[in-house]
Amino acid sequence: MGVNRAWEEEEDRLLYRRVYDSLRRRLESGEWSPHDKLPSVRQLAARFGVNRLTALRAYRMLAEENRVYAREKSGFYASPPVPLTGANASDSGMDEVEPSPSGPRPGNPMSEIQSLPVDYQLSQGIVDPGLLPNLFLSEYVKGVFDLYPKLMGTYSNPQGDEELRESVARYLTKDTRVPLAADDLVITTGGQQAIDLLTRLYVGRGDAMLVERPTYSSAIDIFRQQGARFLPVDITPAGYDLERVEALMKLHRPKAFYLNPTYHNPTGYTVPAGQRKRLVELAERYRCLLIEDDSFHEMYFGEPPPRPLFAYDTAGWVVHLRSFSKYVAPGLRVCAVAGRPGVIRSLVTAKSLADNGTPLVGQKLFLRYFESERFGRHLEKLRIAMRIRKETAEKELAGGGWTWDSPKGGLNLWVRLPDGLSSSELLEESLRQSVSFVPGLICDPLRETDTHLRISYSFVGEAVLKEGTRRLTELARRLAERNSLGSSLGRLMP
Amino acid sequence: MGVNRAWEEEEDRLLYRRVYDSLRRRLESGEWSPHDKLPSVRQLAARFGVNRLTALRAYRMLAEENRVYAREKSGFYASPPVPLTGANASDSGMDEVEPSPSGPRPGNPMSEIQSLPVDYQLSQGIVDPGLLPNLFLSEYVKGVFDLYPKLMGTYSNPQGDEELRESVARYLTKDTRVPLAADDLVITTGGQQAIDLLTRLYVGRGDAMLVERPTYSSAIDIFRQQGARFLPVDITPAGYDLERVEALMKLHRPKAFYLNPTYHNPTGYTVPAGQRKRLVELAERYRCLLIEDDSFHEMYFGEPPPRPLFAYDTAGWVVHLRSFSKYVAPGLRVCAVAGRPGVIRSLVTAKSLADNGTPLVGQKLFLRYFESERFGRHLEKLRIAMRIRKETAEKELAGGGWTWDSPKGGLNLWVRLPDGLSSSELLEESLRQSVSFVPGLICDPLRETDTHLRISYSFVGEAVLKEGTRRLTELARRLAERNSLGSSLGRLMP
């Protein structure tokens, strides 16, 4: 019981923080003028799918910080800014104010959800560490250090270890049929860093940017932090509406399009081969850099995927991100970025400023494994394991009123909830039962769609996966009943 | 001869690129209006300390890209911007244009100089890998993997490995006498990443920022990339002019002050204990975040250094960067950042967006070594080795007309050239003799002072260090002779 209690407190803390962070961000962005009336506690609770006490707690915290104030029986209002003029400001007892970020405080709700300790972890879109060849890896590590005795003492160069880049270039040349050399690649600390650096380089504050809807939640937060203006493009099992894409490009001249066309995160959809060439032509015509995140390329269940967009690029408007972290070695964090000389040159400089190069030790450890015969066998084994787990999750969800398109690869299911339920509401309940998943809301660049959720079948063992999805199905059933009971009561007692 | 030829070509390429990058940046920043006359080839050559052919080559490249145009017997002029309106732009044969960064293209001249392959590498401010306990490290690595058999398959959390943070917190508590817990720390990929993330958080485009003059060259490039407005503060063997610091804070309300008060890079100076408390008071009064880079703290030759600024902080206006990369394991890239909860919370989110956490493998490898008894002995040995190398370099420089203040710790000498010589000029010549160093110009946030250079005595063995500094002394002597001959001839033949 003690553990459950602590757990509930932790969870309450998280929920209240989400509300608090959102309000604080909006206050800081100047959305409200001083003394403007703010959303009611009731509205806020509904919006975030939390109970009213949680919403109230967020307001109380903001009131303590003099960011809002309450008027009795009326609600909460935006406070005027704290006076801060002249050198005497510090004499007025306000020394305790914290340093405050220059822009809106950045947020990353995905990372917060994933960091919650739960028994049924369905929010992590990475591979079960139990499926990785850990013992094999530990054994050969010593050999890597024998091979490079001064490895610990050597800086990587900012572009990444040359031997690793050569090796990945050979692999990608074979895979994409685009001839690539070591110089055409940059190694980054996971795909996330590549997205961040490319956004910093090519998307300025206020610049328009195409993003898929839904898309990778942390990518949304990166773009938001950079001040991008979103132009959402729906992704469906049939790909994009290319006429809409062209119209948006023509009208808004977006600087970039972040896309994940193969076993897309979170939906699992794959943009058909027929659209790929056309997308690259549009990008060239309207000078929009396509940032092609291809992190799930190797994770197919039947046929390999179509060739990447990068394979159709002739004029340099596609940059290709191939992360190996998720399904080879999350502890190493290795992503290769392929592009044309201009983009690569800028990216190397940005990388040299950001961290002066991904640590060399991890690159060399990865290289030896990547080149081993074992690597190919590992991928084959993994594809089978992932397919089985996907089928396990699908079996549990079947008949519960959920709908989804069964993906042909990747690590996630994108599931539409039974009618009338919201994923935020479900998350609040499911966390109490120690099940976590990614609510669709945070995958929507417009933060509107709350009808879907992402279930990652990749991270936990089969038994846990089965029980976790069973609990979700059961919960959704109960919530739907409660809601329909509530609305019946509502009709009876208006 | 073939090798020398290739080497000269490589070197020419670098020099021309520096000129090209600078001109392009200035053109893109809008410093010149279309059809403005640009600096003459002669001025440019003098400014960059390159020969005129090199300067001309930079202009030719810009002309090929339609950024400038030449008028015969007059010089080069800024081109008007390329017309790019309406959807037909792409039909005008300009499809081949490369994606271009949204802001000025970032630069990092320090990284470029360090990447040049030379025999006498005096530009790398890191420790000679030969002095690191490489064999010991390789031996115990296997044990680390036995201890954490699933290490390769595990993501780090964005804040950094908890066990490592606990260990570093204990170390820093003892060292700074500030009680610290794991939650007060964030692990970053080297100190550079910490500087970058903190700047992104706290310094917006156009915000004022205090920087030491001179300072760490790559930090200047990071601040520039972020669009900071520099307020330079001279650093001398006696510290800063605190009256000037206060006047600047009062007038400009800078968001942050990046400082490296202990065995400062590049000068080696240490800000006296007496100024430290006062600096923290000023920071609190004027709400200016002090970013204290303490990367050389452990590298003292006699007495340990004064307590860090962080030790005087009560209100949360100091954030403390303690990088261990440079003198423990550059291949691992581990830095700990200590600060108050508000700063740490924002930094964790920024880190989660930037790369989702430093790779776990390197953190665990570092942790085991950091906790070993061997670690303390390693530092002691290193201090002795560094002092000896410093003395070796000083001996070679003595009597050559150079002046410097002998540092009490750190990895670098900051040397004033014999009168009339510029460090850019010397670099051009010394690269031909396979000696590299960091020219003072790139350490100056105003990019004006060209009278000093930074010699790192830490990276190469003693014999190489001796020969490298000997070559520099000899070169400077010859250049001074040539210059004085040139001016004598000038007087004879006006």
Side-chain angles (χ1 to χ4, degrees):
Chain A
M1 284 305 272
V3 171
N4 276 347
R5 190 71 232 128
W7 163 243
E8 276 170 37
E9 275 168 24
E10 165 71 6
E11 181 214 320
D12 285 342
R13 201 191 52 74
L14 172 88
L15 291 168
Y16 127 82
R17 262 239 62 102
R18 272 180 55 216
V19 183
Y20 167 87
D21 282 344
S22 160
L23 282 170
R24 177 158 166 183
R25 233 187 332 263
R26 292 170 71 187
L27 283 161
E28 284 173 349
S29 75
E31 184 176 327
W32 292 299
S33 302
H35 311 298
D36 271 357
K37 192 169 186 335
L38 303 175
S40 72
V41 168
R42 183 198 202 103
Q43 287 168 327
L44 215 54
R47 167 88 201 269
F48 281 86
V50 299
N51 67 47
R52 296 190 200 163
L53 272 177
T54 302
L56 187 61
R57 199 174 146 208
Y59 266 135
R60 283 217 192 102
M61 182 71 184
L62 289 164
E64 269 171 37
E65 294 170 343
N66 291 321
R67 295 174 194 276
V68 307
Y69 62 94
R71 283 199 212 152
E72 222 174 332
K73 307 223 168 157
S74 165
F76 287 89
Y77 293 78
S79 294
V82 175
L84 182 69
T85 48
N88 292 328
S90 62
D91 299 329
S92 58
M94 299 193 316
D95 280 348
E96 304 303 316
V97 173
E98 279 183 351
S100 65
S102 70
R105 194 178 289 274
N108 189 349
M110 172 92 118
S111 172
E112 285 175 28
I113 290 171
Q114 289 173 341
S115 70
L116 290 173
V118 291
D119 295 333
Y120 303 92
Q121 175 52 273
L122 310 182
S123 74
Q124 283 282 16
I126 55 173
V127 161
D128 179 359
L131 292 175
L132 300 178
N134 292 295
L135 294 182
F136 171 79
L137 286 170
S138 294
E139 281 310 308
Y140 92 75
V141 156
K142 177 101 191 321
V144 175
F145 282 87
D146 288 342
L147 205 56
Y148 310 100
K150 292 194 176 181
L151 184 52
M152 293 287 221
T154 314
Y155 264 102
S156 168
N157 72 62
Q159 186 161 4
D161 179 54
E162 190 160 354
E163 209 182 351
L164 175 60
R165 284 186 284 118
E166 275 167 9
S167 178
V168 176
R170 281 192 299 273
Y171 178 88
L172 288 180
T173 298
K174 209 171 141 189
D175 181 82
T176 63
R177 284 174 274 154
V178 178
L180 288 168
D183 268 359
D184 302 318
L185 300 182
V186 181
I187 304 296
T188 60
T189 305
Q192 181 118 343
Q193 186 179 45
I195 299 171
D196 185 43
L197 293 178
L198 289 166
T199 309
R200 284 174 84 177
L201 275 173
Y202 293 103
V203 184
R205 197 154 290 279
D207 281 346
M209 174 173 192
L210 293 165
V211 285
E212 294 165 328
R213 186 181 187 209
T215 187
Y216 173 44
S217 165
S218 298
I220 295 174
D221 296 308
I222 290 171
F223 307 146
R224 210 182 284 275
Q225 172 178 249
Q226 188 60 18
R229 194 156 49 85
F230 293 145
L231 306 173
V233 175
D234 287 342
I235 179 164
T236 71
Y240 317 110
D241 175 347
L242 290 190
E243 280 180 27
R244 179 172 152 79
V245 170
E246 177 158 16
L248 287 172
M249 284 184 173
K250 200 164 181 168
L251 188 62
H252 298 280
R253 298 282 166 172
K255 288 296 184 68
F257 185 0
Y258 169 72
L259 27 69
N260 176 207
T262 304
Y263 315 131
H264 173 261
N265 177 8
T267 66
Y269 306 154
T270 293
V271 173
Q275 288 201 339
R276 297 185 173 221
K277 186 158 184 282
R278 180 77 187 119
L279 270 166
V280 176
E281 285 164 3
L282 289 176
E284 287 179 24
R285 169 175 288 258
Y286 298 101
R287 297 178 182 190
C288 171
L289 181 69
L290 301 183
I291 302 176
E292 181 184 36
D293 188 345
D294 209 0
S295 299
F296 305 98
H297 190 93
E298 282 84 356
M299 280 300 100
Y300 50 87
F301 303 143
E303 290 293 297
R307 294 176 76 198
L309 273 70
F310 184 63
Y312 299 98
D313 182 36
T314 53
W317 291 92
V318 184
V319 55
H320 182 78
L321 277 52
R322 187 71 71 99
S323 169
F324 300 98
S325 301
K326 290 188 182 63
Y327 49 83
V328 181
L332 298 179
R333 314 270 298 121
V334 169
C335 173
V337 183
R340 299 269 289 211
V343 172
I344 293 300
R345 205 163 48 227
S346 294
L347 187 59
V348 170
T349 304
K351 171 78 176 157
S352 80
L353 291 175
D355 66 10
N356 220 357
T358 293
L360 187 62
V361 169
Q363 295 189 61
K364 287 294 194 194
L365 291 176
F366 176 75
L367 168 67
R368 286 299 135 199
Y369 182 53
F370 186 67
E371 294 230 309
S372 72
E373 191 219 350
R374 181 101 184 203
F375 179 71
R377 278 189 283 141
H378 166 63
L379 288 184
E380 273 171 42
K381 195 186 108 183
L382 216 52
R383 285 178 199 122
I384 295 168
M386 288 299 111
R387 203 189 56 219
I388 294 172
R389 291 191 188 195
K390 182 197 75 153
E391 287 164 1
T392 301
E394 287 181 323
K395 216 159 138 186
E396 281 303 319
L397 293 171
W402 313 78
T403 48
W404 68 93
D405 284 273
S406 189
K408 297 190 169 57
L411 310 178
N412 307 301
L413 285 180
W414 179 245
V415 180
R416 190 186 159 85
L417 279 152
D419 269 351
L421 292 186
S422 86
S423 69
S424 315
E425 188 184 13
L426 183 66
L427 181 61
E428 188 173 357
E429 295 289 333
S430 79
L431 285 174
R432 287 188 211 283
Q433 300 215 9
S434 212
V435 184
S436 75
F437 59 81
V438 173
L441 198 64
I442 68 170
C443 304
D444 179 2
L446 303 179
R447 292 278 201 269
E448 286 173 3
T449 319
D450 203 15
T451 51
H452 287 71
L453 59 135
R454 188 190 89 171
I455 295 175
S456 299
Y457 47 75
S458 56
F459 185 66
V460 293
E462 272 195 77
V464 173
L465 176 64
K466 202 169 163 175
E467 175 61 14
T469 37
R470 197 196 62 73
R471 286 185 185 204
L472 277 184
T473 311
E474 173 63 18
L475 254 178
R477 198 183 50 70
R478 270 197 282 136
L479 281 178
E481 273 174 23
R482 197 173 74 183
N483 288 359
S484 93
L485 184 66
S487 72
S488 308
L489 284 173
R491 275 195 301 276
L492 289 172
M493 304 182 291
Chain B
M1 284 306 273
V3 170
N4 276 347
R5 190 72 231 130
W7 163 243
E8 276 171 36
E9 274 169 24
E10 165 72 5
E11 183 215 319
D12 285 340
R13 201 189 53 72
L14 172 88
L15 291 168
Y16 126 82
R17 260 238 64 102
R18 273 180 56 216
V19 183
Y20 167 88
D21 283 343
S22 161
L23 283 170
R24 179 159 164 182
R25 234 186 335 260
R26 292 170 72 186
L27 283 161
E28 283 172 348
S29 74
E31 183 177 327
W32 292 297
S33 302
H35 310 297
D36 273 356
K37 190 165 186 340
L38 303 175
S40 72
V41 168
R42 182 196 202 106
Q43 288 168 326
L44 216 54
R47 166 90 200 268
F48 281 86
V50 299
N51 67 47
R52 296 191 199 162
L53 271 177
T54 303
L56 187 60
R57 198 172 147 208
Y59 267 136
R60 283 219 191 102
M61 182 69 184
L62 290 164
E64 269 171 37
E65 295 170 341
N66 290 321
R67 294 173 196 277
V68 306
Y69 62 94
R71 281 199 214 150
E72 220 173 335
K73 306 221 168 160
S74 163
F76 288 89
Y77 294 78
S79 294
V82 175
L84 184 70
T85 48
N88 292 328
S90 63
D91 299 330
S92 58
M94 300 192 315
D95 279 349
E96 304 302 316
V97 172
E98 278 183 351
S100 64
S102 70
R105 193 178 290 272
N108 189 350
M110 171 94 116
S111 170
E112 284 175 30
I113 290 170
Q114 289 174 339
S115 70
L116 290 174
V118 290
D119 295 334
Y120 303 91
Q121 175 53 273
L122 309 182
S123 74
Q124 282 281 14
I126 55 172
V127 162
D128 178 0
L131 291 175
L132 300 178
N134 293 295
L135 293 182
F136 171 79
L137 287 169
S138 295
E139 280 311 308
Y140 91 76
V141 156
K142 176 103 191 319
V144 175
F145 282 88
D146 288 342
L147 205 57
Y148 311 99
K150 290 194 176 181
L151 184 53
M152 294 286 224
T154 314
Y155 264 102
S156 168
N157 72 62
Q159 186 160 3
D161 180 54
E162 191 161 354
E163 209 182 351
L164 175 60
R165 283 185 286 120
E166 275 167 10
S167 178
V168 176
R170 280 192 299 274
Y171 177 89
L172 288 180
T173 298
K174 210 171 139 191
D175 181 81
T176 63
R177 284 175 274 154
V178 178
L180 287 168
D183 268 359
D184 302 318
L185 300 181
V186 181
I187 304 297
T188 61
T189 305
Q192 180 118 345
Q193 186 179 45
I195 299 170
D196 185 45
L197 293 178
L198 288 165
T199 309
R200 284 173 83 176
L201 276 172
Y202 294 102
V203 184
R205 198 153 291 279
D207 281 347
M209 174 171 194
L210 292 165
V211 285
E212 293 165 327
R213 186 182 187 208
T215 187
Y216 172 44
S217 163
S218 298
I220 296 174
D221 297 307
I222 290 171
F223 307 146
R224 209 182 284 274
Q225 172 179 248
Q226 188 62 16
R229 193 155 50 84
F230 292 145
L231 306 173
V233 175
D234 288 342
I235 180 166
T236 71
Y240 316 110
D241 175 347
L242 290 189
E243 281 179 28
R244 179 173 154 81
V245 170
E246 177 159 15
L248 288 172
M249 283 184 174
K250 201 165 180 169
L251 187 63
H252 297 280
R253 299 281 166 172
K255 289 295 184 69
F257 185 0
Y258 170 72
L259 27 71
N260 177 206
T262 307
Y263 316 130
H264 173 261
N265 177 8
T267 66
Y269 306 154
T270 293
V271 174
Q275 288 202 337
R276 297 186 174 220
K277 188 159 184 282
R278 180 78 187 118
L279 270 166
V280 176
E281 285 164 4
L282 289 175
E284 287 179 23
R285 171 178 287 259
Y286 297 102
R287 299 179 180 189
C288 171
L289 182 68
L290 301 183
I291 303 175
E292 181 184 36
D293 189 344
D294 208 0
S295 299
F296 304 99
H297 190 93
E298 283 86 355
M299 280 301 99
Y300 49 87
F301 303 143
E303 290 293 296
R307 294 176 74 199
L309 274 69
F310 183 63
Y312 299 98
D313 182 38
T314 54
W317 291 93
V318 184
V319 54
H320 182 77
L321 278 50
R322 188 70 71 99
S323 169
F324 300 97
S325 301
K326 289 187 183 65
Y327 49 83
V328 180
L332 298 178
R333 314 270 299 120
V334 169
C335 173
V337 183
R340 300 268 290 211
V343 172
I344 292 300
R345 207 163 47 228
S346 294
L347 186 58
V348 171
T349 305
K351 172 77 177 157
S352 82
L353 291 176
D355 65 10
N356 221 356
T358 293
L360 187 61
V361 168
Q363 295 188 62
K364 287 296 194 194
L365 291 176
F366 176 74
L367 167 67
R368 287 298 137 205
Y369 181 54
F370 185 67
E371 295 230 309
S372 72
E373 191 220 348
R374 180 101 185 200
F375 179 70
R377 276 188 284 143
H378 165 63
L379 288 184
E380 274 171 42
K381 197 185 107 183
L382 216 51
R383 288 180 196 118
I384 295 168
M386 288 300 111
R387 203 189 56 219
I388 293 173
R389 292 193 188 194
K390 182 197 74 153
E391 287 164 2
T392 300
E394 288 180 323
K395 215 159 136 188
E396 281 303 321
L397 292 171
W402 314 76
T403 48
W404 68 94
D405 284 274
S406 189
K408 295 189 171 59
L411 311 178
N412 308 300
L413 285 181
W414 179 245
V415 180
R416 190 186 158 86
L417 279 152
D419 269 351
L421 291 186
S422 86
S423 69
S424 315
E425 188 184 10
L426 183 66
L427 182 62
E428 187 174 0
E429 294 290 332
S430 80
L431 284 174
R432 289 188 209 282
Q433 300 216 10
S434 212
V435 184
S436 76
F437 59 82
V438 173
L441 198 64
I442 68 171
C443 304
D444 179 2
L446 303 179
R447 292 276 201 273
E448 286 172 4
T449 319
D450 204 13
T451 50
H452 287 71
L453 59 134
R454 187 190 87 172
I455 295 175
S456 298
Y457 46 77
S458 57
F459 186 66
V460 293
E462 273 195 76
V464 173
L465 176 64
K466 204 169 161 175
E467 174 61 14
T469 36
R470 196 197 61 76
R471 287 189 184 201
L472 277 184
T473 312
E474 172 62 19
L475 254 176
R477 197 185 49 73
R478 270 198 280 136
L479 280 177
E481 273 174 23
R482 196 174 73 186
N483 288 357
S484 96
L485 185 65
S487 73
S488 307
L489 282 175
R491 274 196 302 276
L492 288 173
M493 303 182 290

